Amino acid sequence: QVQLVESGGGLVQAGGSLRLSCAASGRTFSSYNMAWFRQAPGKEREFVAAITLSGSNTYYSDSVKGRFTISRDNAKNTVYLQMDRLKPDDTAVYSCAARYLSGSAYQPNSQSAYSYWGQGTQVTVSS
C-alpha cells in the first residue's frame, strides 16, 4: 500500500504559477503509476495529468496541455505538478492518485484505474 500527501496549493493570481507536490510513503514508489485529478466546486472530479512508472510517458487533459507539467522523482518518492499560466477555471481541489504497476487495461485518465488517493490541496486562482 501507499499513502499520499499533497502540498503546495494556495492562492495565486491569473497568469501565475504553482508547483504541487505529492509525497508517497513506502519503498516501492517506482512501481506506481501516478496521476493528478481535480475537483472544482459543484463539478465532478476530472483528470489532469498522469505519469508512468519511470516517467517515460506522460498524459494530459486538453484543458491543461501546454500549461501544466507532471514529473516524478523516484528517489524522493514524490510526484510534482508544475502549473503555469494559471486561469480562474483551474480553481479546484487537486488530488494525487496512485496505481500499482499498469497492465494492458491501464487507462491513465480514468479515476477507476487508481486505488490510492491523497486528501487533496486547494488551488485558487483569482482573476
Side-chain angles (χ1 to χ4, degrees), residues 11-68:
L11 174 64
V12 63
Q13 289 187 332
S17 299
L18 280 175
R19 188 176 82 153
L20 305 183
S21 299
C22 173
S25 65
R27 302 180 180 179
T28 59
F29 179 69
S30 59
S31 297
Y32 289 86
N33 294 279
M34 301 297 296
W36 288 95
F37 288 78
R38 67 185 182 186
Q39 187 167 20
K43 296 185 178 180
E44 294 188 355
R45 187 161 56 186
E46 65 174 2
F47 170 75
V48 176
I51 188 167
T52 52
L53 306 177
S54 64
S56 56
N57 293 306
T58 57
Y59 308 87
Y60 297 94
S61 68
D62 288 342
S63 61
V64 307
K65 194 173 297 181
R67 299 188 298 121
F68 290 12

Side-chain angles (χ1 to χ4, degrees), residues 33-125:
N33 294 279
M34 301 297 296
W36 288 95
F37 288 78
R38 67 185 182 186
Q39 187 167 20
K43 296 185 178 180
E44 294 188 355
R45 187 161 56 186
E46 65 174 2
F47 170 75
V48 176
I51 188 167
T52 52
L53 306 177
S54 64
S56 56
N57 293 306
T58 57
Y59 308 87
Y60 297 94
S61 68
D62 288 342
S63 61
V64 307
K65 194 173 297 181
R67 299 188 298 121
F68 290 12
T69 304
I70 189 170
S71 62
R72 66 189 297 163
D73 185 338
N74 286 345
K76 295 183 178 180
N77 283 14
T78 302
V79 62
Y80 304 98
L81 185 67
Q82 177 66 41
M83 306 185 295
D84 298 318
R85 291 182 283 144
L86 282 160
K87 304 175 182 179
D89 284 349
D90 294 319
T91 295
V93 174
Y94 285 71
S95 300
C96 66
R99 173 190 172 93
Y100 183 67
L101 299 180
S102 53
S104 59
Y106 174 49
Q107 293 182 302
N109 61 346
S110 172
Q111 295 183 49
S112 62
Y114 302 92
S115 301
Y116 305 99
W117 293 82
Q119 292 298 312
T121 185
Q122 176 71 45
V123 172
T124 303
V125 184

